[in-house]
Amino acid sequence: MNVRLVVNGRAHEVDVPVHALLLDVLRDGLDLKGAKRSCDAQVCGACTVLVDGLAVSACTYLAVEADGRAVTTVEGLAEDGRLHPIQQAFLDCGAVQCGFCTSGMLLTTRALLEEHPAPTRDDILHDLRGSLCRCTGYRKIVEAIGAAARAPAGARAPETRRDAEPVGAPPLRVVGHSVPRIDGGEKVTGRARYVTDLAMPGMAHAKVLRSPYAHARLGRVDASRARAHPGVLAVLTGGDLAGQCEPYYGPAFRDRPLLAIDVARYEGDPVAAVVAVDETTAAEALELIDVDYTPLPAVITLEEALAPGAALVHTGQPLAGHFADLATLRPEPGTNVCHRFGYARGHAETALAAAHLVLEDTFRFPRVQHYAMEPNAALAAWDETGALTVWASTQNPYSVRVELAKMFAVPLARIRIVVPHLGGGFGSKTYAKLEPLAAALARAAGRPVRLAASAAEAFQTVRRCSSRVTVRAGFAQDGTLVAADCRADFDVGAYADIGPRVVQKATYTATGPYRVAHVALDARAVYTNTTPGGAFRGFGVPQLAWALESLMDVAADRLGRDPVDLRRQNLLAHGEEFAPGDTPIDGKLEESLGRAATAIRWTTQRDAGTARGVAAMLKASVAPSVSEAIVRLHADGSVTVLASTVEMGQGARTMLAQVAAEVLAVPVARVTVATPDTAITPYDQTTSSSRSTVMTGRAVMEAAEDVREQLFRVAAGRFGAAARDLVLEDGAVVAGDQRLPYPEVLALRFGMSGGELIGRGVVAPGRTAAPLGGSTPFWEMAVGAAEVSLDEETGAVRVERYVSVADVGRAINPLVLEGQDEGAVVQGLGHTLLEEMVYEEGHLLNGTLLIYRVPRAEDVPPALECRFVENADGSGPFGAKGAGEGSLIPVSPAVANALARLTGLRLRELPLTPERVWRALRMRERG
């Protein structure tokens, strides 16, 4: 059908099928990639465009409906090379993180302001009901919309809550200031490119056939009709993999096949894959594959999986994965336990027997999906020499490279992983996900292949591990926490992924931020016939903190103590040992607790119908760990930073640019940070565990200092001064009143206007005597305080006010960091009040965004404050520590503790849905 439309002021005439969507016409036909594909269900708003000025979801809007109409995409907002005031406001207010939702947010805002030039807060919240953001926590988006309405000529960033410069640390020129994000301009104009925005000559598209059963034996898998379908280039089944590659992969155990071999172990397990000239043809071919399934008994819950005689998810012993600290993992034969972790110090049982008060209770944490706005995607291409390049939405390019090298027997040097912009991660894109299958399909098809999961398929790819945690805690009469015994079971789903590391890292810190002399910890990673569980923001610590911090409030009540005072009494002190051989505590937990209590007005009389709760957390980062960086000073005095930390919205590239700019005394605008590319950027272990600022930031700082020392050595001869007497200032080496700009220093070094100074930084603490084999590079610490109200008729819990205080050492970029913590809090509210993957007889009932409820702007507490403790006492650059995960962790217990203080009800299972709370209220009434 012929469609005529005007897009961003330009007339277009296109021939499209009658069922074609406007989103596909814009993205594929007109190469306007700003509108994004995410939910495919008119829920998330990432695809929003304007049609005759009205906001529509292009993922469900037919192209024929736009015939004769004017369409505006984000690419059409800026005029004459100048950003639209709305775009500028989003940048100034810090409303941009990963950027995947940004285009839709901007156009939604444009439509709102056309209708309501001076919108109220309620107007804004109502208008954002159809727009999701998983990164920001919405607060800065709401601020940006308000700022754009108030100041059409531009908006200034709101002040972040900083009490002062870090104690004992001098103010710095760039670090510690809210400089604009270096990737912000790309993201507000639609120029940022994600994997699904990329295309290559001859590129084909892949689709995956997935098992409809939770557990089934595969008989005949007949793909002959699919292979014969016009436009199909290749079809792979599990039976086709032998001889083509090593079919199993995984970071902990190599237990996950590219495609199911003999057995499908969960609903959604990939069974076959098709490569075709386009996605429509590939989807048609999937319908032509015939599979004989024989259903097998399935274990869906922890109780089912651990029951005597339970059906086994895996009957053999898988090979170990590629991490040294996980190489000793051993599953328990004849059971569904794939890993067991234990740790003890002191004499827990003896101490518990002698304690004045012993409390024991069990707490449950739900299965939760990350819902990164950009689902997992990979584009793989083999060249004529047998080298492989994969453009991947991954947080771990180097880990993916190792996995692919082992699977395809190709040297590391011949595998290249490139990471463009990432539309959120939160752990869902750690380690190999779609990349191995994309590579196998590209080899089979003989051309580049793009494999992109849908939002629904993301629910069948990875999730947070659910848990059942039983804690016994013993207290002395004076309130001292003398002993803790923790027994935890984690549901890691059908394949181990990184679940065993989640279990041991989280359980190791099960005692939280408290001084406990006698400890006994025992945790199991348990297979079930559900979506594999893996890394998720907090890395298992939210599950443990939910239990311990709830029990701390119970203890305070039983001992007649104030919950804040009881925590303060037991907090580990700065410099105190957490465990023998590990890093001493590097923050002031008491200061964080005190600030949170003050900000939530803990000691003041509460409003009627509300109550307050508090919780604290402590998390270790991954160790041992390695980060490398290269800094290049060019002949014109500009700087390039090469590092493999992945930017996924957290502001890592901006942070690295600020660190390099501070050391080398140049403006941030003169610093370019390369995107991760294993052929170019040096090794970095992972973008997770809140480690980028500390580890990669330190590596960049060392590399920049290396360049600085080279500058000093060259300039010292010219000045006739010692290198130690020189300083850098505004792009020049300075000795007293003498200045030598960097281009002149390089010309002096090389005898011409060419060449560059190259610095290298390597941060590799190595293995230690710490219980997990490596001392944590830093401790992540945060305290949360909540004020809640309750509608007793419906059971709906409302968080009226929330305060987060994170000990960050030094905030490299306060506005970016504040946005990170706000996002963490709101994501924490998701699993506290709303989110849970629900299974019934092996089937996932809510595996789409139509049913699975993530927080919207209207769910954010009316008062949300994120504050920082800055003492410049971290091991990162300029005293910084990692942040971004910690503020999520106290949310659930803080809210539940407030609810308990309000109602007397102690709920032990998340989420605290209206139905669950209502039933608890009714049970209390019945006695």
Side-chain angles (χ1 to χ4, degrees):
M1 183 173 179
N2 184 265
V3 174
R4 298 180 180 180
L5 66 169
V6 176
V7 181
N8 299 330
R10 296 182 61 182
H12 294 274
E13 186 171 342
V14 293
D15 287 316
V16 300
V18 68
H19 60 270
L21 296 171
L22 179 59
L23 181 62
D24 295 323
V25 170
L26 294 173
R27 289 179 55 80
D28 301 331
L30 303 181
D31 198 35
L32 296 170
K33 306 292 190 181
K36 303 302 182 190
R37 169 164 275 114
S38 184
C39 72
D40 285 320
Q42 200 175 338
V43 174
C44 73
C47 65
T48 301
V49 298
L50 304 183
V51 177
D52 287 345
L54 298 178
V56 304
S57 296
C59 74
T60 57
Y61 193 91
L62 293 175
V64 296
E65 296 180 87
D67 187 35
R69 299 177 182 272
V71 177
T72 303
T73 72
V74 69
E75 290 89 346
L77 277 184
E79 298 179 1
D80 300 323
R82 298 181 60 184
L83 293 180
H84 189 280
I86 297 171
Q87 293 169 309
Q88 191 63 55
F90 269 60
L91 291 178
D92 291 343
C93 292
V96 180
Q97 288 192 27
C98 86
F100 207 78
C101 74
T102 300
S103 297
M105 289 284 185
L106 292 167
L107 290 161
T108 297
T109 301
R110 173 73 178 271
L112 169 66
L113 297 185
E114 287 292 325
E115 185 177 358
H116 299 289
T120 65
R121 177 180 172 81
D122 286 343
D123 291 334
I124 295 172
L125 295 180
H126 182 271
D127 210 60
L128 290 178
R129 285 176 61 88
S131 299
L132 300 179
C133 176
R134 202 61 159 158
C135 295
T136 66
Y138 298 103
R139 178 172 172 257
K140 298 199 179 315
I141 291 173
V142 173
E143 288 177 347
I145 295 171
R150 292 190 302 273
R156 295 185 59 82
E159 292 296 321
T160 54
R161 294 182 177 276
R162 300 182 75 203
D163 294 324
E165 285 288 337
V167 176
L172 300 172
R173 184 180 54 85
V174 175
V175 165
H177 299 276
S178 296
V179 305
R181 293 182 66 106
I182 65 173
D183 57 0
E186 298 172 79
K187 291 175 176 177
V188 299
T189 58
R191 291 184 286 110
R193 289 294 179 261
Y194 303 78
V195 172
T196 51
D197 298 329
L198 306 179
M200 295 182 66
M203 184 182 77
H205 300 265
K207 289 287 187 181
V208 176
L209 180 69
R210 297 174 179 273
S211 170
Y213 296 97
H215 200 193
R217 186 165 303 283
L218 303 181
R220 181 177 60 97
V221 182
D222 185 355
S224 57
R225 291 194 302 149
R227 290 190 172 100
H229 190 62
V232 170
L233 303 171
V235 180
L236 286 181
T237 69
D240 300 322
L241 299 176
Q244 293 197 27
C245 65
E246 163 56 49
Y248 292 94
Y249 67 101
F253 292 119
R254 303 182 69 77
D255 61 353
R256 191 169 189 168
L258 284 177
L259 298 165
I261 299 172
D262 299 327
V263 176
R265 293 182 171 86
Y266 70 100
E267 181 189 48
D269 207 353
V271 173
V274 172
V275 180
V277 293
D278 55 43
E279 292 188 27
T280 299
T281 302
E284 291 171 351
L286 290 184
E287 299 295 324
L288 302 176
I289 300 174
D290 295 319
V291 183
D292 289 339
Y293 296 98
T294 301
L296 298 171
V299 290
I300 304 304
T301 66
L302 284 167
E303 288 76 12
E304 291 171 352
L306 292 170
L312 298 182
V313 180
H314 294 267
T315 55
Q317 181 165 320
L319 298 173
H322 58 265
F323 284 111
D325 65 319
L326 298 180
T328 58
L329 299 182
R330 294 290 183 272
E332 295 186 354
T335 76
N336 286 308
V337 176
C338 71
H339 175 52
R340 189 163 195 159
F341 170 75
Y343 173 74
R345 63 174 181 265
H347 306 281
E349 286 299 328
T350 302
L352 286 166
H356 169 72
L357 171 68
V358 176
L359 298 172
E360 179 175 355
D361 216 332
T362 299
F363 296 83
R364 296 175 182 273
F365 198 100
R367 300 178 179 106
V368 180
Q369 219 289 315
H370 307 71
Y371 184 52
M373 293 285 290
E374 175 206 29
N376 299 76
L379 168 56
W382 296 84
D383 68 19
E384 62 280 359
T385 71
L388 171 64
T389 299
V390 182
W391 291 263
S393 60
T394 180
Q395 299 173 226
N396 299 69
Y398 274 91
S399 292
V400 171
R401 187 178 72 152
V402 168
E403 196 78 79
L404 295 177
K406 184 173 294 187
M407 296 180 73
F408 294 98
V410 176
L412 290 173
R414 297 181 64 74
I415 295 180
R416 179 185 182 190
I417 309 298
V418 184
V419 185
H421 286 283
L422 207 69
F426 319 115
S428 67
K429 296 169 183 173
T430 52
Y431 310 106
K433 294 295 185 288
L434 303 189
E435 299 85 0
L437 182 55
L441 292 169
R443 176 180 272 184
R447 63 169 69 188
V449 170
R450 187 172 73 197
L451 174 60
S454 66
E457 288 176 309
F459 281 83
Q460 299 175 326
T461 302
V462 69
R463 59 168 172 83
R464 189 192 285 278
C465 300
S466 57
S467 68
R468 179 185 63 191
V469 178
T470 299
V471 176
R472 282 191 298 157
F475 294 82
Q477 190 168 0
D478 68 353
T480 301
L481 178 57
V482 295
D485 177 283
C486 176
R487 311 287 160 176
D489 292 319
F490 287 78
D491 172 358
V492 301
Y495 301 108
D497 197 270
I498 200 63
R501 181 183 273 172
V502 171
V503 169
Q504 66 184 36
K505 286 289 294 183
T507 306
Y508 172 60
T509 55
T511 53
Y514 305 112
R515 182 185 307 106
V516 190
H518 304 281
V519 177
L521 309 176
D522 181 55
R524 296 179 290 186
V526 182
Y527 285 130
T528 62
N529 293 113
T530 62
T531 296
F536 195 141
R537 198 176 200 167
F539 211 71
V541 177
Q543 292 91 312
L544 278 302
W546 162 236
L548 179 65
E549 287 298 308
S550 296
L551 214 57
M552 287 293 290
D553 257 43
V554 176
D557 184 59
R558 294 283 296 275
L559 292 167
R561 296 287 302 278
D562 178 88
V564 169
D565 290 340
L566 182 65
R567 285 176 170 83
R568 182 181 289 115
Q569 175 183 342
N570 288 287
L571 286 174
L572 288 157
H574 192 284
E576 190 171 352
E577 181 182 77
F578 174 82
D582 213 333
T583 304
I585 296 299
D586 57 0
K588 297 180 179 178
L589 287 155
E590 185 173 346
E591 183 177 354
S592 299
L593 180 63
R595 290 194 187 183
T598 298
I600 204 71
R601 302 169 300 181
W602 183 261
T603 58
T604 64
Q605 184 175 353
R606 58 185 174 88
D607 297 334
T610 68
R612 301 169 189 138
V614 67
M617 60 73 62
L618 181 75
K619 179 181 179 293
S621 187
V622 62
S625 188
V626 178
S627 288
E628 302 181 39
I630 293 170
V631 171
R632 300 165 60 191
L633 179 64
H634 303 288
D636 64 351
S638 63
V639 175
T640 297
V641 173
L642 302 178
S644 292
T645 275
V646 175
E647 174 61 67
M648 51 188 175
Q650 80 278 40
R653 292 178 67 203
T654 303
M655 175 273 296
L656 297 179
Q658 287 182 260
V659 169
E662 187 68 53
V663 174
L664 293 174
V666 298
V668 171
R670 297 281 285 168
V671 180
T672 297
V673 181
T675 55
D677 181 339
T678 59
I680 298 170
T681 55
Y683 181 85
D684 193 75
Q685 181 175 337
T686 177
T687 307
S688 60
S689 201
S690 303
R691 65 182 292 282
S692 293
T693 295
V694 171
M695 299 297 290
T696 315
R698 274 178 56 194
V700 168
M701 186 174 185
E702 288 184 8
E705 290 171 341
D706 185 356
V707 171
R708 182 180 64 190
E709 295 309 309
Q710 294 178 57
L711 287 168
F712 287 162
R713 287 197 297 270
V714 174
R718 168 62 64 89
F719 290 143
R724 64 177 177 274
D725 296 328
L726 307 181
V727 297
L728 301 184
E729 184 180 290
D730 295 330
V733 184
V734 176
D737 58 358
Q738 300 182 81
R739 297 176 59 85
L740 198 61
Y742 294 163
E744 295 181 27
V745 178
L746 268 67
L748 184 64
R749 167 66 179 82
F750 296 105
M752 57 180 289
S753 58
E756 58 186 29
L757 299 183
I758 301 175
R760 185 183 181 204
V762 179
V763 179
R767 300 188 70 79
T768 70
L772 297 185
S775 300
T776 182
F778 63 94
W779 293 101
E780 190 166 2
M781 292 170 260
V783 175
E787 184 171 316
V788 308
S789 62
L790 174 67
D791 184 338
E792 294 203 12
E793 292 299 316
T794 65
V797 177
R798 176 178 167 87
V799 181
E800 304 288 351
R801 182 183 184 87
Y802 192 91
V803 174
S804 173
V805 179
D807 188 329
V808 302
R810 184 194 285 267
I812 302 291
N813 188 310
L815 184 63
V816 168
L817 182 56
E818 187 177 62
Q820 271 287 286
D821 272 19
E822 289 170 1
V825 169
V826 174
Q827 199 165 53
L829 287 173
H831 64 242
T832 301
L833 300 176
L834 303 168
E835 296 182 51
E836 180 179 18
M837 292 171 64
V838 179
Y839 281 84
E840 184 175 291
E841 297 182 354
H843 300 294
L844 178 60
L845 300 182
N846 60 340
T848 74
L849 267 295
L850 286 169
I851 310 172
Y852 186 87
R853 174 82 153 79
V854 300
R856 298 190 292 244
E858 64 187 0
D859 298 312
V860 178
L864 172 59
E865 300 175 22
C866 291
R867 303 186 177 199
F868 310 123
V869 171
E870 296 185 76
N871 290 310
D873 51 1
S875 57
F878 306 102
K881 303 173 194 172
E885 289 182 280
S887 294
L888 172 147
I889 294 168
V891 175
S892 296
V895 170
N897 288 339
L899 181 63
R901 286 164 63 84
L902 179 63
T903 65
L905 292 174
R906 173 60 58 185
L907 275 74
R908 298 164 179 83
E909 185 172 2
L910 294 174
L912 306 176
T913 60
E915 179 183 358
R916 185 165 282 151
V917 175
W918 183 88
R919 289 185 183 279
L921 290 168
R922 301 292 85 79
M923 287 180 65
R924 183 186 64 179
E925 290 175 0
R926 293 195 295 266

